[in-house]
Amino acid sequence: MKNDISHDLFTRAQQLMPGGVNSPVRAFKSVGGEPFFAARAEGAYLIDVDGNRYVDYIGSWGPMIAGHAHPQVLDAVAKVLRDGLSFGVPNALEVTMAETITRLVPSCEMVRMVNSGTEATLSAIRLARGATGRNKIVKFEGCYHGHGDSFLVKAGSGMLTLGVPTSPGVPKALADLTLTLPYNDFEAATNLFDEAGAEIAGVIVEPIVGNANCILPRDGYLEHLRALCTQHGALLIFDEVMTGFRVALGGAQARYSITPDLSTFGKIIGGGMPVCAYGGRRDLMQQIAPSGPIYQAGTLSGNPVAMAAGLATLALIQAPGFHASLEKRTHELCDGLEAAAREAGVAVTTTRSCAMFGLYFTDQRVETYAQAVACDTAAFNRFFHGILRRGVYFAPSAFEAGFLSSAHGDIEIGHTLEAAREAFRETRA
Ligand code: HOZ
C-alpha cells in the first residue's frame, strides 16, 4: 500500500496545524502510524491521495448514512449553489428543515439550526439553566457532547482516546457545575438526585453512548433518567447528534419510546455540511431569543447550501425499509466479525443499534464505561492496522462507534469480513 503523498502532506501539516489535523480524532495518535489524506469519496468508499481505496466505517463520523457523494445530495446542493451561499436573512429551506425535523421527531415542537454539535449542546444547556434558574448539569462518563467547557469533564471520544478526559483550560468553577455519573448505573443516578436534585438544571446524555465505542442503555435506564428529571424538575436532554435519524428514523428517542425535554441533532441533518440543531418543548424553545431572553445566534445558521444537503439526505432516509435494511446489514457485519474473531481465537464482542456498532476486544458483554476502557486496546490497534492494510477503514481509536451506510452492500461486507479474518489472525499472532 503506497502512502508517499499522504506522508508528505502529513509532514507539512504537522508544521502548520496542531498534530497535523483539524480535529484530534483524525490523527492516528493512539493506534500509531500516520493518517491518510482523502482525495475523494464515493458510496461506501474513501479514496486517498495515493490511490488506495478503503471501505469506510466512519462516514465522516456519522453524516454519510446514504453513502458518500450521493447523487441526489450533490444535485440538491448544485441546484441552490448558484443562487448564493449564505444570505444572513431567512430562507425557505430553513422552514422546510424545521418542518421535517419536527415531523420526524415529535418531542421537538420547535427547533433552532446551528453549525456544530458543540453549539447545539452548549445552547441546550444554556436553555436548561435559563429555564430552570439552576446551574448544575449532569453528564455521563465517556459521553462526549462537543468541546464546550462544561462538557470536557470525564469526556469520551478524542479526550478518552488521548487519555485526557478532563481538559486543562476549563475553569474549575465551571467544571464544578458539571456532575458526572456512570452510565447505566441506576442507583448512582438516584443517589445524585437525592443529594442535589434541586440544583440540577438538566441531564445531558447520549442515549446510546457512541463516544466510548458503542454502549447501549440497559433496559429501563433511559426511563429511569426520565422519571428522575420529571420528579426533580430538571430537564432531560438527549444528545442525538450521532443517534438521531440513524438508530431509527425518529432517533433513539423513538427506538426507546422516551420523550426528552430537549434534543440536539447533527451529522445526518447536514448530509456532510456543517449543520446541527437543538429543539424541544415549545414552552422552552420560546425562551430563546428573539422570542425570549436566552441568547443564542449564528451568522451562517440555516444557510441554503447546508439546508439543501441535509434535506436531500433526510428525504433519502425516509424511503420505506431504509432503516430495516441498514439494521440487517449491521447484524451481518457484526455477526461476521464475531465469527471471524472466534475462528482466530481472539476475544471480541460487538454491540449494535441499526446503523451504528461497537467492536470491543473482550469476551464480556460491554454495558458500562469501566468495561469499555478495560478492553484490550493494544489488540484493537493491531487489528486496526491489519484491516486498514487490507482496504477497510475503522475509526482510529478503540473508543469510537462504527457507522454503516446504505451504500454498504454484499460486496463491501464480504470484503470486510474476508479482511477481518486475516487481520484477526495477525492480531493474535
Ligand atoms: N463525535 C465525533 C467523534 N466521536 C466528532 C468528530 C470529531 O471530533 O472530529
Side-chain angles (χ1 to χ4, degrees):
M1 189 165 266
K2 277 178 53 185
N3 73 342
D4 303 348
I5 305 177
S6 276
H7 175 70
D8 284 352
L9 284 167
F10 193 51
T11 307
R12 284 162 55 200
Q14 281 175 294
Q15 299 305 312
L16 303 163
M17 301 185 272
V21 289
N22 278 319
S23 192
V25 296
R26 299 176 196 177
F28 280 23
K29 208 87 196 199
S30 66
V31 291
E34 295 184 350
F36 61 84
F37 282 64
R40 61 192 181 85
E42 59 190 13
Y45 294 91
L46 274 177
I47 297 101
D48 75 14
V49 286
D50 289 285
N52 303 304
R53 206 173 152 83
Y54 309 89
V55 180
D56 175 24
Y57 287 100
I58 300 183
S60 193
W61 300 95
M64 300 305 174
I65 194 165
H68 289 284
H70 193 289
Q72 273 170 248
V73 179
L74 298 187
D75 284 351
V77 170
K79 213 163 135 205
V80 300
L81 212 50
R82 299 215 166 268
D83 291 330
L85 303 182
S86 178
F87 306 132
V89 299
N91 70 78
L93 293 177
E94 296 170 275
V95 184
T96 311
M97 177 60 90
E99 282 167 350
T100 307
I101 294 175
T102 54
R103 174 170 55 80
L104 297 179
V105 187
S107 76
C108 286
E109 295 170 321
M110 294 185 96
V111 68
R112 167 64 62 84
M113 304 311 297
V114 292
N115 304 291
S116 71
T118 298
E119 272 183 73
T121 52
L122 283 174
S123 308
I125 62 163
R126 181 176 304 142
L127 174 52
R129 285 174 165 148
T132 59
R134 302 172 179 182
N135 284 336
K136 296 215 165 128
I137 295 292
V138 177
K139 78 173 280 291
F140 294 82
E141 291 170 2
C143 279
Y144 177 74
H145 306 287
H147 60 90
D149 283 349
S150 297
F151 303 123
L152 296 185
V153 180
K154 297 192 183 169
S157 189
M159 301 279 293
L160 180 54
T161 302
L162 298 175
V164 281
T166 303
S167 176
V170 175
K172 183 173 178 310
L174 194 57
D176 286 347
L177 298 177
T178 302
L179 311 175
T180 54
L181 278 175
Y183 178 81
N184 265 341
D185 184 332
F186 287 69
E187 207 182 322
T190 308
N191 292 343
L192 180 66
F193 269 94
D194 283 347
E195 275 165 37
E199 297 166 70
I200 296 171
V203 172
I204 186 163
V205 63
E206 293 179 75
I208 295 170
V209 184
N211 286 289
N213 210 324
C214 183
I215 309 176
L216 305 182
R218 284 182 172 143
D219 282 351
Y221 187 65
L222 298 173
E223 287 86 340
H224 184 61
L225 297 181
R226 175 65 278 178
L228 286 172
C229 286
T230 304
Q231 189 190 337
H232 292 269
L235 301 183
L236 180 62
I237 308 166
F238 269 15
D239 180 350
E240 295 233 44
V241 168
M242 273 189 184
T243 52
F245 310 96
R246 175 168 287 278
V247 300
L249 186 55
Q253 51 195 275
R255 200 169 172 106
Y256 294 103
S257 304
I258 307 287
T259 306
D261 300 296
L262 295 173
S263 303
T264 57
F265 301 104
K267 307 209 189 254
I268 288 171
I269 59 168
M273 301 295 286
V275 179
C276 286
Y278 65 102
R281 276 170 31 200
R282 184 176 300 278
D283 63 305
L284 295 170
M285 291 303 291
Q286 274 175 331
Q287 299 185 42
I288 295 291
S291 16
I294 301 171
Y295 202 74
Q296 181 272 315
T299 300
L300 298 174
S301 299
N303 75 75
V305 182
M307 294 299 98
L311 284 169
T313 304
L314 289 174
L316 287 166
I317 70 169
Q318 290 177 66
F322 183 89
H323 287 86
S325 121
L326 271 174
E327 180 138 26
K328 187 167 158 279
R329 285 263 176 245
T330 307
H331 282 304
E332 278 166 25
L333 174 73
C334 290
D335 290 344
L337 287 170
E338 286 185 358
R342 229 177 3 257
E343 267 167 45
V346 177
V348 159
T349 56
T350 62
T351 52
R352 55 282 305 248
S353 183
C354 196
M356 181 169 172
F357 67 93
L359 177 70
Y360 290 102
F361 281 75
T362 175
D363 55 7
Q364 286 182 32
R365 195 179 141 94
V366 174
E367 294 186 332
T368 67
Y369 170 75
Q371 287 173 311
V373 294
C375 290
D376 187 347
T377 49
F380 170 82
N381 294 350
R382 291 197 295 280
F383 173 76
F384 167 83
H385 281 291
I387 200 157
L388 183 69
R389 276 196 299 278
R390 293 169 174 87
V392 179
Y393 187 47
F394 282 6
S397 160
F399 302 116
E400 297 284 359
F403 297 119
L404 259 85
S405 78
S406 53
H408 288 76
D410 289 340
I411 294 176
E412 289 74 26
I413 303 286
H415 172 70
T416 304
L417 295 180
E418 190 52 49
R421 273 179 214 108
E422 294 172 18
F424 279 129
R425 278 199 291 271
E426 257 177 34
T427 301
R428 186 203 50 204

